[in-house]
Structure formats: structure tokens, C-alpha cells
Amino acid sequence: MYVQELEPVAGSLGLSALVAALPLVIVLILLGGVRMKAHLAGLTGLLAAALVAWLAYGMPLGQTVSSAAQGAAFGLFPILWIVVNALWVYRMTVRTRHFDILRRSFGRLSDDPRIQALVVAFCFGALLEALAGFGAPVAICSVMLVALGFDPVRAAVVALVANTAPVAFGAMGTPVVTLAQVTGLPLDDVASVVGRQTPLLALVVPLVLVWLVDGRRGLRETWVPALVCGIAFAIAQFAASNYVSAQLADIGAALAGAGALVAVPQARRAAAEPVRVAVLTGVRSEDLDENDPRGEVVRAYAPYALIVVIFSVGQIPAVKDWLAGATQMYDWPFLNVGNADGDLVSANVFTWPIVSTGGTLVLLAGICTAVVLKVHARVAVREWAATVHELRFAILTVTSVLALAFVMNLSGQAATIGHFVAAAGAGLAFLSPVLGWFGVAVSGSDTSANALFGALQVTAARESGLSPELLAAANSSGGVLGKMISPQNLTIACAAVGLAGREGDLLRKVLPWSIGLLLVMCLIVVGQSSPVLGWMLP
């Protein structure tokens, strides 16, 4: 058995933490300073983590390689299994032009650009985040807003700021699933705490969006539908994450927010012409005036309805138990690790939820979608392969980052850093969301930030007497606010609306909102770590 050491370098916790942090520092410098491609930075960081584990921590080379392999396997399944299948569903709707029908349907819900921003960027963006994540909502919603007549810069900024509240439960709950895996905390416990933090953002973000679209006047005239939308979204996200399923949190929230918004009479009234002229300085797509047959509109909504139905059926106790029965557990080869107390760590066993995982359920929904949209089997398979090809660098990035995280966690590097950071004491509650925010700002992924810093947050929490679930959740909740300023998302937004090279302009517009909302989240976490808001925790 390899037993983790907390102070392997000269018997000093400070020096050991400094050496243990090298892989993270290297990744952050390569991404944020050198602007190296994410997959190359991830692979370089993985090599550094393996060398530190082997040379500084004395982890046998075979176990080091085995821990990296397990991290890569977890990155492929279930994480990327979800992402690939979700994006496949979207690609089929684009190929059959049902995505265009969906876009036109949204455009007809309201003539008011402020309401259109809420419907497209906040509600539909949350649904896209729930299904795919990884930049897809920003790209798709930006294009849709430009087609509705929004100025490209305004469209990109609105899409970036809207892509916050749903991120922690994006890609069928991938960030919180990853967080639970790397920290060893129960998924339900982590999801329930995140579900008591991010819904508070959902109350604010719709109001910010109408301000971004039309300034003070927009807030004054449309605060009622914006607030109703945010409240419905927040309640649904809280309820689903705490009492139903983390995988369904964003889907339920997006549908509830959209339903509540449409139900407000003020949201369905046309905007005054001066408002439209002031806000919509882009070119409105002519195809918005096309009339689509009702049956085609129903089919355009069908893929998302199928996913909701299939995941809902999967939550029925009898079905859930049957699906869980297909879960396989294996002793991971060449891995025998004990923590600093000599107790076996859970990573020695690899759990493979073949059928019950979200990716398999999305695959089933995709097969049903192909039937409903009349996509030939050969074409559907070709689209799935094209999806894998499109995500090839993202696949390499995710697997390398997860491999790096597993090496750091199993060798004891994360534990060393956690014990060192715990010296911050009570201030740790304030700094915890900042660490997640910084991780997402650099990596562009809440999943990656959770993999990198999740175990560190839990170790620090236990050493300082704070709730491990609270700080783990804070890492993810703070991370969602770094999404809008990440170079990856800024580049995606610029490319989508034809603003290549103007990432700096977008950054200057969204940075104040990112920092301001982060401060709010830090105060929430501090409050939840004390009697002031401690009653909010489960």
C-alpha cells in the first residue's frame, strides 16, 4: 500500500505545499499567461503532477500512472459520454433545420427585445447548458440574438452574463458529479448545497440582463417579468437539486423560468418602437417572418421534451433501482492507496454506472429524437461521429485535467495544499468561491475547476472546522461567475457574432459584473458558514 504523506519535502508543510502546487501553477500560467491551448496545458500539468507524485511524494511509478489512467477513464465516462450525446442531439436539430424553427418560435413569443433576451439568453441558454454546456449556450444564444436584430456586442455580452446561474448543474450535472467524485462526498449532499447558493444568483441575473439590454429604462419597465422569471427559475433549481435529481436541476429551472415569463401579460406585449430602435441596431434575420406548420414546431421542441420525459422516468424509484442494479464496481488495477491515517481511499474502487448514467439516458433520447425528426440511422451515426471529431480537443482537455486531478488527490498533493490553506481559518469561507472563480476564469470549465480544487477545498474545510460540503459547493458556485470572463468563452462569443479579435472589448464589459456577483457569492458563503445564514444549509 502507498500511504500519503502530508510533509514529504524536508518535513515542512509550507515547502511541501509549494512543491505540490507546482502542477496547478504551471497549468494556470500556461493558460492565462502563455495562452497555450487548453489540451496542451492540461497534458503539461499532468506530466508535472506525475513527476511531483513520483519524485517528491514517493508514489510508486506504477500507481502514479494507474491513478492518471483512472482520472482519464472518469473523464471519458461519465463526463464526456454526457457531453457528446447531448451535443449530438443538438446537431441533429440543426441538420433537419428544426433548430431554425425553434429560433423563430422564440422570436414570436414577444416583440420586446428585453423579454427576448430573457427567453433566449437566460431560459433557453439554461436549457442548452443543461444539455451540453462547454460553451454551446454562449455560441448558440449569441447567434440567435443577432438574428433577432441585436447589436453583435450587446448580444455577446448578454449571452455571457446569462451563462452563470445554470453552469454548476450544466451538461446533466457534470460539474457537481465531478465534484462529488474527486471529494468523496455524496452527490446528493453536494448538489443540495449548490442548490442553495446558485438559485440566489438566478434572482439577480434576469434583472442584470434587462439592464444590459436597455439600461435604467429597461429595468424600470420590465423588472416585473424579469423578477418573476428569476424567482421561478430559482425555486425550480432549488427543488430539483435538493429533492429530485441534480441532472434535472437546470432543465426544470429553464422550463419553469420560461413558463413563468410567458405567463406574465407584460412580457407578451410588444415593445414601444423607440425601445426597439435604441436596442436593436443589428440586422434582423428575414427568415423570422416565415410561418412554420404547427406540427413542425412541435417536432422542434420534441428533443428537449424527450430528454425531460426520459430523465423523469429514470427518477421513478422502481426504475431508478433497476438502473442502479446495472452499475458495475471494479478494483482498479495497480492501485492501492491509503490516506495519511492509513485508511483505504475510495478511488481504489472504480464505479461504472453503465445504464443509469446521464449520458446513456441522453443517448436514448437522441435515438428517439432521430426517429421523431426522421433522421436516417446512417446520418444519425455520421452526426455522432462528427460530434466526437468536433470535441476532440475538448476530450483531450477534460481527460488530461481529470488525470491531473486524480494524481494530485491520490498522491497526497491536494491534501498537503488543503492543510496549508486551512491556516486562513474563518477567512477561508470568503476565499473559497474566489478559488473556484479563478479556476473557471482560467480553464473555462466549472468541471475542470472542481476537479482541480474540489479535494483541496474539502481538506481545508475539515482542517479549519468548516463544513466540507459548504466549501466544495462554494468552489462550484463561485466558479460559475468566472465563466463569463474565461478566454475560452470570450473567444466563442466573438467567433459566433463575427467579432474576432475583440475579446478585450467584451472582457471590459462583463468583468465588473463578474466581480460584483462574485462578491455577492462570497458574502453568501460567509453567511452560510455562520449562524447568520447557516439555517439555509441542509
Side-chain angles (χ1 to χ4, degrees):
M1 178 189 291
Y2 165 72
V3 178
Q4 299 171 351
E5 271 192 80
L6 295 178
E7 303 174 356
V9 181
S12 167
L13 183 61
L15 286 176
S16 298
L18 190 63
V19 173
L22 280 176
L24 295 178
V25 172
I26 288 171
V27 170
L28 298 178
I29 290 176
L30 292 179
L31 283 171
V34 181
R35 298 292 179 90
M36 181 182 283
K37 296 290 185 183
H39 62 282
L40 295 177
L43 289 171
T44 305
L46 171 58
L47 177 61
L51 290 174
V52 171
W54 179 36
L55 299 176
Y57 278 75
M59 188 179 197
L61 186 58
Q63 296 214 46
T64 302
V65 173
S66 182
S67 60
Q70 185 180 161
F74 179 71
L76 289 171
F77 193 98
I79 294 178
L80 289 164
W81 182 236
I82 296 172
V83 176
V84 168
N85 290 325
L87 199 55
W88 173 54
V89 173
Y90 163 70
R91 284 182 64 100
M92 286 193 289
T93 66
V94 172
R95 185 180 181 89
T96 58
R97 298 191 179 279
H98 284 89
F99 182 76
D100 293 333
I101 296 173
L102 191 68
R103 175 170 55 84
R104 289 193 287 269
S105 175
F106 287 160
R108 285 190 285 268
L109 287 175
S110 174
D111 196 39
D112 189 326
R114 299 163 298 192
I115 303 303
Q116 290 174 345
L118 293 176
V119 172
V120 173
F122 188 68
C123 297
F124 186 59
L127 187 59
L128 291 173
E129 183 67 37
L131 301 179
F134 291 89
V138 170
I140 295 166
C141 292
S142 297
V143 170
M144 291 179 73
L145 290 174
V146 169
L148 290 169
F150 277 64
D151 167 72
V153 173
R154 198 189 305 263
V157 170
V158 167
L160 284 166
V161 174
N163 191 221
T164 48
V167 168
F169 296 103
M172 310 310 294
T174 294
V176 290
V177 169
T178 304
L179 187 59
Q181 178 72 21
V182 300
T183 59
L185 299 173
L187 173 60
D188 290 343
D189 292 354
V190 174
S192 66
V193 179
V194 175
R196 295 162 193 248
Q197 294 172 343
T198 56
L200 298 176
L201 290 177
L203 298 175
V204 178
V205 171
L207 298 171
V208 173
L209 294 180
V210 297
W211 174 280
L212 288 171
V213 173
D214 196 29
R216 187 175 300 172
R217 177 178 61 177
L219 188 60
R220 184 178 65 251
E221 295 180 358
T222 55
W223 70 269
V224 172
L227 190 59
V228 168
C229 177
I231 291 173
F233 186 103
I235 292 174
Q237 191 182 60
F238 161 74
S241 60
N242 277 266
Y243 305 112
V244 184
S245 165
Q247 287 86 349
L248 288 175
D250 278 349
I251 293 177
L255 296 177
L261 184 61
V262 172
V264 178
Q266 183 180 345
R268 298 196 299 272
R269 288 199 293 268
E273 192 59 32
V275 174
R276 291 189 58 80
V277 172
V279 176
L280 304 180
T281 57
V283 179
R284 185 173 180 271
S285 177
E286 294 180 0
D287 74 345
L288 288 174
D289 299 320
E290 291 184 22
N291 290 319
D292 300 303
R294 179 166 297 180
E296 292 302 303
V297 174
V298 171
R299 290 171 68 193
Y301 282 90
Y304 310 102
L306 284 167
I307 289 175
V308 173
V309 169
I310 289 173
F311 269 84
S312 298
V313 170
Q315 296 306 309
I316 297 173
V319 177
K320 191 173 184 177
D321 291 342
W322 178 79
L323 292 173
T327 299
Q328 302 292 319
M329 299 182 70
Y330 305 96
D331 287 328
W332 191 259
F334 310 112
L335 199 61
N336 185 19
V337 178
N339 59 25
D341 297 324
D343 300 323
L344 284 172
V345 299
S346 59
N348 291 312
V349 177
F350 184 72
T351 303
W352 191 21
I354 305 172
V355 181
S356 61
T357 186
T360 302
L361 298 180
V362 176
L363 176 66
L364 177 59
I367 294 170
C368 295
T369 295
V371 174
V372 171
L373 300 185
K374 299 179 181 178
V375 179
H376 192 279
R378 183 173 60 255
V379 175
V381 171
R382 190 182 304 134
E383 285 295 323
W384 193 90
T387 302
V388 174
H389 182 265
E390 178 184 339
L391 291 173
R392 62 193 184 281
F393 293 120
I395 291 172
L396 192 54
T397 299
V398 171
T399 51
S400 62
V401 168
L402 264 296
L404 181 157
F406 270 59
V407 170
M408 289 191 66
N409 294 345
L410 291 174
S411 66
Q413 295 172 60
T416 297
I417 300 172
H419 279 74
F420 182 75
V421 171
L428 189 59
F430 185 88
L431 295 175
S432 184
V434 177
L435 188 59
W437 174 83
F438 183 69
V440 175
V442 172
S443 69
S445 167
D446 201 35
T447 299
S448 296
N450 287 344
L452 291 173
F453 300 131
L456 184 157
Q457 297 264 25
V458 167
T459 302
R462 286 174 174 150
E463 287 300 305
S464 59
L466 295 172
S467 164
E469 291 81 7
L470 174 62
L471 293 203
N475 191 82
S476 192
S477 298
V480 307
L481 299 168
K483 189 90 169 176
M484 69 178 84
I485 64 169
S486 71
Q488 172 185 311
N489 255 23
L490 291 170
T491 301
I492 288 172
C494 285
V497 298
L499 295 175
R502 294 186 59 183
E503 288 85 355
D505 294 342
L506 293 187
L507 178 61
R508 282 190 290 273
K509 290 181 179 296
V510 299
L511 183 59
W513 295 106
S514 178
I515 294 176
L517 292 172
L518 173 64
L519 178 60
V520 171
M521 181 55 66
C522 289
L523 295 176
I524 290 170
V525 175
V526 170
Q528 291 178 334
S529 70
S530 70
V532 177
L533 295 179
W535 54 267
M536 293 180 63
L537 299 180

